[in-house]
Each structure stands twice: as C-alpha cells, then as structure tokens.
Amino acid sequence: MLFAAIAMQKKVYFRGTWLPWLLVAPQLIITGVFFMWPAVQAVMQSTQLPDPFGLSSQYVGMENFQFLLNDSTYLESFATTALFSVSVTLMAMVPALFFAVLADSVIKGSGLYRTFLIWPYAVAPAIAGIVWLFMFNPSIGVASYYLKFLGVKWNHVLDGDQAMLLVVLAAAWKQVSYNFLFFLAGLQAIPKSLIEAATIDGASPWHRFRTITLPLLSPTTFFLLVVNIIYAFFDTFGVIHTITLGGPERDTSILVYKVFADGFVGQDLGSSAAQSVILMVLVGALTVVQFRYIEKKVHY
Amino acid sequence: MAIVGRHPWRTATVHILLILGIVLLCFPLYLTFVGSTLTRQEVLQVPMSLMPGDQFLENYKRALFRGTNAPVLGMLWNSLVMAMGIAIGKIVISLLSAYAIVYFRFPFRMLCFWTIFMTLMLPVEVRILPTYEIAAKLGLLNSYTGLILPLIASATATFLFRQFFMTVPDELVEAARMDGAGPIRFFKDILLPLSRTNIAALFVILFIYGWNQFLWPLLITTDPSMNTIVMGIKQTVPQADDFADWPLTMATSVMAIIPPVLVVLLMQRLFIKGLVDSEK
C-alpha cells in the first residue's frame, strides 16, 4: 500500500521527547491556524444562513447545498469549468508534445530551444491575462485588428464564446512550457535503440511515434493530464479576474471564480462556504487520482 | 533517431518549426515590451506599431516612481519580501518537521504526519473566504505576516524533504551517534549540507510561486502601499479605453515578469530539478 509506504520511517532513529515536538511545532501551528480552522469554518458556515444584516446566522442543515444543486447558475458553472479545463489541458498539452518531439529529434541546439520554450512558465497567470487582454483588446488590440481581415469581428467583452476562447488561450499559453519540459524529459528517457530497431524494420516516423513513443510516454501523459486539470481548476483565477471578471453574463465563471464572486462580491457567505466544501471534496478526489499515479510509479 | 532516418531537408523543417514555435510563444511578451516603449497615443493608434518606440525610459520612470495607485518600486519591494518570505519560511518549517517525522519516534507521530499531509490537498483558492476572515480576526490585513504566513501552510515541501531524507543512508546516523553527535549536531553538520541542492531547487520553485500569487494579496492588502506587483497591476488596467495608460500597464507587466524569468533562466538546472522533484 502506498499510504503505508509514505508513513514509513527510518530503522535507525533518535530518542527524544521534547525535541521532535519542538521541530514539528511551527508547521503544526501554521497548519492548524490557516488550514484546519478555515476548513472547519467553511464546513460550519455551509450549514448556516446569515441574516440580511450579517449580525447573526441560523442553522439550516443541508439547505445551502440543496439550494446550490437546484441553482441553474451553479450547474452552469460546473459545465463552464468542465469545458474550460478540458480545453486548457488540450491546448497546453498537444502543442507541448509536438514541440517536445521536435526538440528531442534535433542534435544541435536542443538546449537552446529548451531555454527559449520554458521561460513563459515564470509568467504569473494574472500577468498572462493582462498580456493577452492587451493583444485582444476589441478596440486597440493587435490581434483583434488583424482578425478583422479574416472576417472575424473580435469582441470578447460581449461575445461569450470569444471570451471563453481568450481565457483558454491565456491560461494554456504559459502551461505549454511546463508540459514541454516534462514531455521532453519523458522522450529523452526512451531508449533510442528501440526506435532505431523499428526504423530498420521499415516503420514510418508516424508509425514509430504511434506504436513506440506514445505508449512509452503514457505515464508522463497521464501525470500531466492530472496536473493540467488541477491547474485549470485552481490556478487560473488570475487569468479570469484580469480578462473577463467571469463575464460576459457568467460565461467564463468557473467554480473557483464563483466562490470568490459569491463570497466577496455577492456577500452570500453560506452559499460561498458550501461551494468551498464541494470544491474541497473535488480536490480530495483529484489528489487521490494523483496518488494512484505515484503508487503506480512506486511499483514500476 | 540519431543514426537512421535523417535527411537534411527534414532537419531543416524541424528547426524551422521549432523557431516558429518559439516566435509564437514569445510574441505576446514581445508585444508587451513594445507597448511599454510607446507613447499613450501611439498605443491607441490602430494598428499599433510592432517596433519598439523611444519612450522606454520615460514610461519605466513614470511607473517606478509614480504608478497608478502606488509606485511600482514599492510594489516590487513588497513582492520581493513576500516571495522570499514564502520560500524561506516554507523551507525552514518543512525541513524541521520532515526531520522530526523521519528521524524520531514520538507519540502521535502519525497524527502529526497526516495533519501536515492533508494540507497538500487544499489550495488557498478553495478555502479563501474563511482564511481571509481568520487573517482579519488576527489583525493580519495589510501586513507582511498576513501576506506570507497563510501561504506557507502547505505540505509539498515537507513531503519532498521526507522523500530525500529517506534516501540518506542509515549508516550516517550510526556513525554520528558513535562520534557522540546528538540529533541537533547531526542535522546541522550532516543532513543540512547533504540537502543543499534540494533546498536550492525548492527555493527556485517557491520563489516563483510566491512572486506570482494573485488572489491572496488581492484580498489581504487593501492599502495600496502594501500591494504586490502581480496584484497591483490589475488596478492599472483601464476600465474605459479613453483613459487608457497602456504603456504604464505594459511597463509594470514587464517589471513583474523579469524577476521570476531571470530566476528560471539563471538557475535553469535547479529550476528543472525543483519542478520535477516537487511533482513526484
């Protein structure tokens, strides 16, 4: 079992009663104050309904959850999040794989290519949002100007589909670097002799890629799938907040954004807390999937 | 594909495609730089010039010392304090707790371990509202402590050091004990020097993570003088095109991007190691 493996300890160890406690204390205190306490608070608030003046609140059981699950805007937000994260994952992984295969095949300059392809990783999601907003600004953006010649009237402020496309592009853009790095490492770990043998047998490059490279790369691919979905779910708040503020009409309001919008802007504390709790369960599930992956790797 | 299946034209195509990819990937950043060197009128001219203008010094000076709500210089400083605080804080508390969990046996060791480990699951975005309320209750709004502390409650680093400590040979502890060295000496003289590369790699990743924070600073700093650059930039974005000062926004963006990019470029090896390690 993986969990047993994680909890494993050294056979040789030190004795001590107060020292180990002193060592874990800082981490435990911070975890307690900024993790356990807020988590408990979220669960408690999710079962309460504050009065309109915010002076007191009463216990309402599962009402906030029931309300959410019957709320069409919440269910829409689920659909929006699904569309957004699948698109971001695809847009970030497919080009990354393409460029990684290319970079892996060159003999000279692959290090230089790597340097140039990885640095957008360091750009914050919020800054990525600003940069793409500048390019696609409906009135002054360079991209929206040239799109006119292709017959596209770009206005993501009014057009929900265009808004979605823009936040997907901005969110996927910086993640390409990350995926590229992992795909390249995965490719470089594949023994060249396998591919050479297949070449001698007369397999075409595409055939070699499909039957040798891709299957051998599948652990990397699976790992990146999970990481990219987690990224799209939680780390893209800055992109949404700088480009669309969840609009137009909530068309780009993903779950994490809705927790913020309902809690801080809408001041609907009970609902926001219930949404937090649902998200915590979702993260938990995703983390278990991720551990499954580690477990697999441990047993290799 | 080193030996077989290599044609000169195919090699050329590969290089051209790679260069094309780099151009595509870097174009948004190039455009940002160009925007930061033009006058306000030049940016509003459609289509905008794709060549840098001559307002570089002017725009950057204006951003650094005046800005929109607060001078960028102060925001850069706040970002630096926050990023360093998060990186160093996380590394220190994680090293200590990982050491205790791996090298000691004590009551409730497993409980400690799981409590810390559980934080792996919850990004701050998920528990944002209650965390904010608690920070407010503790009087941490508009303070460096408030910017830093809640974000070092994560177990990634602890987990990483634990993994590394498990690979350190047991003989080292035995040898240290035979020489009469206690747990503190062992930690300081043997384990810490061995962990140097791991610490450096983690530092690179955590610095970028801290620098790029957006939502948390957005909530916790209401006073413009406490804004970090990544969150402060949002306020420079014009709501209406008539009042747009895009060159200022773009100059601020460039300055927000440079520090983490420099870290990635100058410490590429450590960066890659840190990235690969922290995702294991």
Side-chain angles (χ1 to χ4, degrees):
Chain A
M1 257 318 281
L2 169 86
F3 289 116
I6 284 175
M8 216 168 62
Q9 202 197 12
K10 293 257 177 200
K11 283 190 199 72
V12 185
Y13 52 88
F14 290 109
R15 267 163 246 281
T17 41
W18 56 270
L19 187 62
W21 280 108
L22 202 67
L23 292 171
V24 286
Q27 175 114 352
L28 273 187
I29 291 168
I30 290 175
T31 306
V33 174
F34 295 107
F35 164 77
M36 308 283 266
W37 189 4
V40 170
Q41 193 106 327
V43 174
M44 265 165 48
Q45 278 175 354
S46 71
T47 62
Q48 289 171 347
L49 195 68
D51 70 39
F53 305 104
L55 297 173
S56 67
S57 48
Q58 64 176 59
Y59 178 77
V60 292
M62 300 303 278
E63 224 169 79
N64 285 322
F65 291 94
Q66 274 164 2
F67 185 79
L68 272 179
L69 295 179
N70 290 319
D71 178 7
S72 63
T73 63
Y74 189 60
L75 300 178
E76 270 165 33
S77 178
F78 259 100
T80 307
T81 310
L83 174 67
F84 176 74
S85 35
V86 169
S87 312
V88 169
T89 304
L90 281 178
M91 297 287 274
M93 280 179 71
V94 175
L97 178 59
F98 179 70
F99 290 121
V101 169
L102 292 181
D104 182 47
S105 75
V106 301
I107 298 167
K108 272 189 192 148
S110 104
L112 198 67
Y113 286 129
R114 192 178 66 183
T115 304
F116 274 106
L117 284 166
I118 62 171
W119 66 279
Y121 171 81
V123 179
I127 308 283
I130 305 269
V131 167
W132 283 76
L133 183 67
F134 181 57
M135 269 201 301
F136 281 88
N137 182 297
S139 51
I140 64 142
V142 172
S144 37
Y145 172 78
Y146 287 104
L147 276 173
K148 236 177 268 167
F149 296 104
L150 297 173
V152 181
K153 203 170 165 293
W154 186 270
N155 194 340
H156 66 266
V157 183
L158 300 174
D159 187 321
D161 292 334
Q162 290 184 355
M164 179 54 96
L165 184 61
L166 185 56
V167 286
V168 166
L169 282 174
W173 168 63
K174 60 154 289 194
Q175 198 67 3
V176 170
S177 304
Y178 182 90
N179 296 335
F180 168 81
L181 205 61
F182 278 86
F183 274 134
L184 187 61
L187 285 168
Q188 284 169 346
I190 295 175
K192 292 283 176 279
S193 55
L194 273 179
I195 292 170
E196 278 157 15
T199 315
I200 292 166
D201 286 346
S204 70
W206 171 243
H207 191 71
R208 291 195 303 253
F209 177 74
R210 216 167 37 93
T211 56
I212 301 170
T213 312
L214 217 51
L216 286 174
L217 215 53
S218 65
T220 309
T221 312
F222 178 71
F223 158 75
L224 285 177
L225 264 178
V226 178
V227 169
N228 279 274
I229 287 175
I230 292 178
Y231 163 78
F233 258 70
F234 304 110
D235 295 338
T236 50
F237 174 89
V239 173
I240 310 267
H241 195 60
T242 47
I243 299 184
T244 65
L245 292 168
E249 294 281 311
R250 292 187 299 277
D251 279 343
T252 54
S253 178
I254 60 170
L255 291 168
V256 163
Y257 197 78
K258 204 168 148 44
V259 170
F260 164 81
D262 289 353
F264 282 93
V265 187
Q267 294 285 321
D268 189 350
L269 300 183
S271 170
S272 177
Q275 291 178 37
S276 285
V277 171
I278 293 176
L279 270 181
M280 286 186 211
V281 174
L282 260 174
V283 190
L286 279 172
T287 317
V288 169
V289 174
Q290 210 176 4
F291 282 151
R292 278 278 162 81
Y293 164 80
I294 302 175
E295 196 168 7
K296 253 191 184 166
K297 245 174 92 171
V298 168
H299 287 286
Y300 268 179
Chain B
M1 276 182 254
I3 301 171
V4 273
R6 182 163 294 278
H7 307 285
W9 59 266
R10 186 178 285 164
T11 314
T13 317
V14 166
H15 281 285
I16 289 169
L17 282 173
L18 274 169
I19 291 167
L20 216 66
I22 288 173
V23 168
L24 263 174
L25 207 64
C26 296
F27 181 73
L29 294 172
Y30 173 72
L31 205 68
T32 307
F33 174 72
V34 171
S36 75
T37 61
L38 300 173
T39 64
R40 284 167 76 158
Q41 286 71 31
E42 280 170 334
V43 171
L44 296 180
Q45 225 152 56
V46 181
M48 192 188 96
S49 153
L50 293 182
M51 284 294 139
D54 55 3
Q55 299 295 304
F56 178 85
L57 278 178
E58 188 55 42
N59 290 333
Y60 281 77
K61 242 197 296 189
R62 196 151 51 91
L64 271 176
F65 300 109
R66 231 180 32 230
T68 309
N69 287 345
V72 171
L73 200 61
M75 297 203 280
L76 279 171
W77 172 251
N78 293 338
S79 283
L80 184 70
V81 172
M82 182 186 187
M84 294 296 272
I86 289 176
I88 294 171
K90 252 189 189 178
I91 287 173
V92 169
I93 65 169
S94 303
L95 266 173
L96 296 179
S97 61
Y99 181 54
I101 284 165
V102 172
Y103 281 97
F104 287 88
R105 295 213 175 153
F106 54 98
F108 304 114
R109 187 181 75 92
M110 288 308 293
L111 186 71
C112 286
F113 182 74
W114 284 110
T115 309
I116 293 167
F117 200 65
M118 256 163 44
T119 53
L120 263 181
M121 291 208 238
L122 289 194
V124 76
E125 281 78 5
V126 173
R127 53 193 160 88
I128 195 75
L129 194 76
T131 310
Y132 169 79
E133 283 170 357
I134 285 162
K137 243 182 246 170
L138 297 175
L140 295 177
L141 301 187
N142 291 314
S143 72
Y144 287 128
T145 322
L147 274 172
I148 294 166
L149 270 192
L151 292 179
I152 59 181
S154 150
T156 342
T158 312
F159 188 58
L160 222 83
F161 284 125
R162 197 207 77 98
Q163 300 294 78
F164 172 68
F165 290 166
M166 292 304 288
T167 67
V168 173
D170 287 353
E171 286 77 12
L172 285 177
V173 186
E174 280 161 0
R177 268 210 295 218
M178 239 174 300
D179 292 343
I184 294 175
R185 272 289 295 282
F186 174 74
F187 180 72
K188 203 164 58 89
D189 292 347
I190 296 174
L191 209 54
L192 219 48
L194 280 176
S195 318
R196 245 195 347 237
T197 329
N198 288 278
I199 292 174
L202 197 62
F203 180 84
V204 171
I205 298 298
L206 291 177
F207 180 86
I208 297 171
Y209 164 84
W211 185 275
N212 287 349
Q213 283 303 313
F214 179 70
L215 178 56
W216 186 245
L218 187 72
L219 299 176
I220 199 136
T221 65
T222 44
D223 177 357
S225 72
M226 284 301 293
N227 287 355
T228 64
I229 187 163
V230 171
M231 67 133 309
I233 213 165
K234 165 83 180 140
Q235 285 139 12
T236 72
V237 178
Q239 298 303 322
D241 287 328
D242 305 341
F243 305 106
D245 192 347
W246 282 105
L248 185 92
T249 306
M250 291 298 111
T252 314
S253 300
V254 170
M255 287 188 275
I257 291 171
I258 285 174
V261 165
L262 272 184
V263 167
V264 168
L265 292 183
L266 296 179
M267 291 177 250
Q268 208 181 119
R269 254 167 226 292
L270 285 174
F271 165 69
I272 293 173
K273 179 178 161 46
L275 214 55
V276 173
D277 282 354
S278 58
E279 294 297 355
K280 256 179 201 160

